[in-house]
Amino acid sequence: MTDRLRKISRALLSVSDKAGLVEFARALAGHGVELVSTGGTRKALADAGLAVREVSELTGFPEMMDGRLKTLHPKVHGGLLAIRDKDDHAAAMRAHGIPPIDLLVVNLYPFEATVACNTDFDRCIENIDIGGPAMIRAAAKNHADVAVVVDPDDYALVLAELAEHGGATTLALRQKLAAKAYARTGAYDAAISNWFAQQLSDPAPKYRAFGGTLAQSLRYGENPHQSAAFYRTPEARPGVASARQVQGKQLSYNNINDTDAAYECVAEFDAARTAACVIVKHANPCGVAEGASLVDAYRRALACDPVSAFGGIVAVNRRLDADAARAITEIFTEVIIAPEASEDAIAIVGAKKNLRLLVAGGLPDPRAGGVLVKSVAGGLLVQSRDNAVVDDMALEVVTRRPPTNAERADLAFAFRVAKHVKSNTIVYAKDRATVGIGAGQMSRVDAARIAARKAEDAAKAAGAPDPATKGSVVASDAFFPFADGLLVAVEAGATAVIQPGGSVRDDEVIKAADDHGIAMVFTGTRHFRH
């Protein structure tokens, strides 16, 4: 038979997540399946009135070592691994009294959840499952005969097949379950190995694995001809992966990528100090501002580049209120993300049925460590998160004129923003709002020109006599290799500059600043972003 049906006569159940367990086990028993179980799982089934055999009865060996040793036994693994159609396997089972196990139901000790709670080292170690992964891998390898379930969401699939095929499963289902089983143990081992690397402060272990859990399948990737999906990792960092979507249609690949960029940027602004808003388009900020309120910050951010803001992503660093929600919904916006949202704000956004509202529950810590991964052909690039914050940098004044206090505040603001703009980056800012952003250019001088041109366009649209770059400061994510980029900023009206420094032509650039009465500070820290 092409379905290669295998009847389930015996099931071993050992789960940490007991959601739906009793109902599933009761349905199995209704198909005449003998239930075998361990520890807390056996107790839950017995308390529900189900007949369940303790695994130690099957093995003839007691559980010991605080539960570390209970299923690592030939009578368990033999029952899972034996190929039913091989005579020598069947003979070995008869000779050693090994009963077949046709269904394995296991979900693993909650290692990822334990680590997320920042518990101590020994507790994390005790939540590394050994017997579970061993059984899962054994059952998945022998999927020709054995079904393995690692996800309670698959209980219904198994029961549907048993009902349709007289208590048996098909090969197609067993293959699907086996694929998920290996993916689960792979992600589990990845979480453990990465946690160990973090504990040992090892930035480059010889072997590296990354895993995640499907959050949603996406309609397509960056372009319609690309397939895509969104996975959550064990990292406990507030943001798009942790957020609750209050309303709106499903997020796209580009929505998720842009929303992450916006929220990471707005988190640079301490919510206890100031309200802040970031508007992102195609992964780059097109407007960023602080304000006395969220609505003030939004309107000032929007003024930087109202053309690009159309169809953009808006991130705020405080609870979204009604005034801000009302202002944001005045133009077409794809996504709003905030730590929280008032009921009034939710109702206002709700009037725009396609506008997505995400509530993240907190802001990510810009100083926190972490790992970023980028795929290249045949490999992975892995690096630590850029957690350098301008407030922690010792700014060195390198020109004859030091910046004024107002310029210093704007310089720090501009460098915060530059950290989140694609390289090469130039950011003009004035009164803690961006007034021109040049992103992702092949030369720094072009980035400076584009940012200045955007400020000119914004001034014309607003009917202002001069672009807001007049009297602004300018930030560069990396050093000026020549004075030409600086001179473009001077021509645009900038009066102070913040940059990392470190060019072989620093003296030339400093002299150009001095010649034009410009204040300049070096951070010593670069913020390349690709």
Side-chain angles (χ1 to χ4, degrees):
M1 184 180 294
T2 55
D3 284 340
R4 293 187 62 182
L5 296 174
R6 291 292 185 267
K7 188 171 179 64
I8 296 176
S9 59
R10 183 174 294 102
L12 172 56
L13 304 93
S14 181
V15 297
S16 58
D17 179 0
K18 295 178 175 56
L21 170 70
V22 170
E23 295 79 7
F24 181 56
R26 183 170 285 118
L28 291 177
H31 285 281
V33 177
E34 179 187 24
L35 306 179
V36 181
S37 193
T38 63
T41 305
R42 190 204 65 79
K43 184 178 185 304
L45 297 177
D47 288 350
L50 291 167
V52 55
R53 188 179 179 189
E54 171 62 55
V55 74
S56 61
E57 296 177 34
L58 183 143
T59 63
F61 210 81
E63 181 179 318
M64 60 179 66
M65 300 178 186
D66 300 319
R68 286 188 172 199
L69 192 62
K70 52 192 173 187
T71 59
L72 295 170
H73 192 279
K75 286 194 175 181
V76 172
H77 286 271
L80 294 170
L81 284 166
I83 299 174
R84 308 304 197 250
D85 294 337
K86 289 195 73 173
D87 291 343
D88 56 336
H89 284 211
M93 292 176 75
R94 288 192 299 271
H96 297 283
I98 299 174
I101 299 171
D102 310 303
L103 171 65
L104 177 72
V105 183
V106 171
N107 49 65
L108 305 172
Y109 292 174
F111 176 82
E112 297 100 329
T114 302
V115 170
C117 293
N118 297 313
T119 50
D120 62 42
F121 187 91
D122 289 341
R123 182 171 175 80
C124 291
I125 292 295
E126 283 307 308
N127 275 276
I128 296 175
D129 203 327
I130 301 300
M135 289 191 293
I136 289 170
R137 292 176 64 83
K141 177 175 181 175
N142 201 29
H143 64 268
D145 293 311
V146 179
V148 55
V149 176
V150 296
D151 182 354
D153 287 347
D154 290 328
Y155 291 168
L157 284 175
V158 174
L159 293 179
E161 286 228 337
L162 297 186
E164 184 176 351
H165 300 291
T169 60
T170 63
L171 177 61
L173 177 63
R174 295 193 300 274
Q175 288 176 329
K176 180 178 179 180
L177 294 173
K180 179 182 278 193
Y182 279 123
R184 176 64 188 115
T185 57
Y188 192 74
D189 285 340
I192 295 167
S193 64
N194 285 315
W195 173 78
F196 257 114
Q198 182 183 31
Q199 296 299 306
L200 299 173
S201 300
D202 185 356
K206 181 169 183 177
Y207 299 101
R208 200 83 195 231
F210 296 95
T213 303
L214 182 67
Q216 66 184 78
S217 296
L218 303 173
R219 286 188 299 143
Y220 54 84
E222 286 185 295
N223 300 292
H225 62 275
Q226 295 173 266
S227 60
F230 179 37
Y231 289 83
R232 292 190 180 93
T233 67
E235 183 183 29
R237 186 173 179 84
V240 65
S242 69
R244 174 175 65 92
Q245 184 168 344
V246 177
Q247 75 123 54
K249 62 184 180 180
Q250 185 187 60
L251 293 164
S252 70
Y253 180 101
N254 292 326
N255 290 152
I256 293 168
N257 190 51
D258 290 356
T259 303
D260 177 69
Y263 208 54
E264 288 290 332
C265 184
V266 85
E268 298 281 346
F269 301 91
D270 182 0
R273 180 183 63 82
T274 184
C277 176
V278 174
I279 306 172
V280 160
K281 191 71 171 289
H282 295 296
N284 276 305
C286 61
V288 182
E290 297 179 8
S293 63
L294 285 184
V295 67
D296 179 41
Y298 170 72
R299 293 203 185 282
R300 300 183 74 222
L302 180 65
C304 178
D305 189 353
V307 174
S308 296
F310 186 84
I313 310 294
V314 175
V316 296
N317 69 340
R318 289 181 176 176
R319 179 185 179 91
L320 181 69
D321 56 39
D323 287 343
R326 198 172 290 112
I328 293 168
T329 56
E330 287 174 359
I331 68 168
F332 172 55
T333 300
E334 290 275 7
V335 181
I336 303 171
I337 184 168
E340 301 174 60
S342 71
E343 291 303 318
D344 286 344
I346 290 171
I348 291 166
V349 176
K352 306 287 185 178
K353 66 177 183 178
N354 290 328
L355 172 57
R356 296 85 155 184
L357 174 60
L358 303 182
V359 176
L363 287 168
D365 180 0
R367 292 179 173 86
V371 174
L372 302 179
V373 183
K374 179 181 175 65
S375 64
V376 296
L380 298 172
L381 283 171
V382 181
Q383 65 173 340
S384 60
R385 178 179 282 111
D386 182 358
N387 61 355
V389 175
V390 67
D391 293 336
D392 302 334
M393 299 173 192
L395 304 185
E396 178 190 4
V397 178
V398 295
T399 48
R400 287 194 296 267
R401 180 175 83 77
T404 65
N405 289 338
E407 286 172 334
R408 278 185 176 272
D410 279 346
L411 289 170
F413 171 90
F415 205 64
R416 276 192 190 91
V417 177
K419 173 181 174 181
H420 293 272
V421 183
K422 303 297 183 185
S423 301
N424 286 311
T425 300
I426 290 293
V427 175
Y428 294 94
K430 187 175 183 179
D431 298 329
R432 298 184 310 284
T434 57
V435 295
I437 299 175
Q441 298 307 304
M442 289 66 75
S443 76
R444 199 158 299 279
V445 67
D446 283 343
R449 287 171 177 154
I450 289 171
R453 175 60 185 271
K454 281 185 169 289
E456 292 171 1
D457 291 344
K460 288 178 182 177
D466 294 304
T469 49
K470 300 294 184 182
S472 70
V473 306
V474 66
S476 176
D477 63 330
F479 61 66
F480 286 96
F482 302 96
D484 54 0
L486 174 67
L487 294 175
V488 170
V490 171
E491 185 180 351
T495 62
V497 181
I498 185 169
Q499 59 137 319
S503 168
V504 295
R505 293 184 174 85
D506 274 349
D507 289 344
E508 174 188 324
V509 176
I510 293 169
K511 182 179 183 305
D514 281 334
D515 289 346
H516 290 83
I518 300 301
M520 185 157 61
V521 298
F522 284 1
T523 65
T525 300
R526 186 179 76 183
H527 281 313
F528 270 163
R529 187 178 184 87
H530 295 290

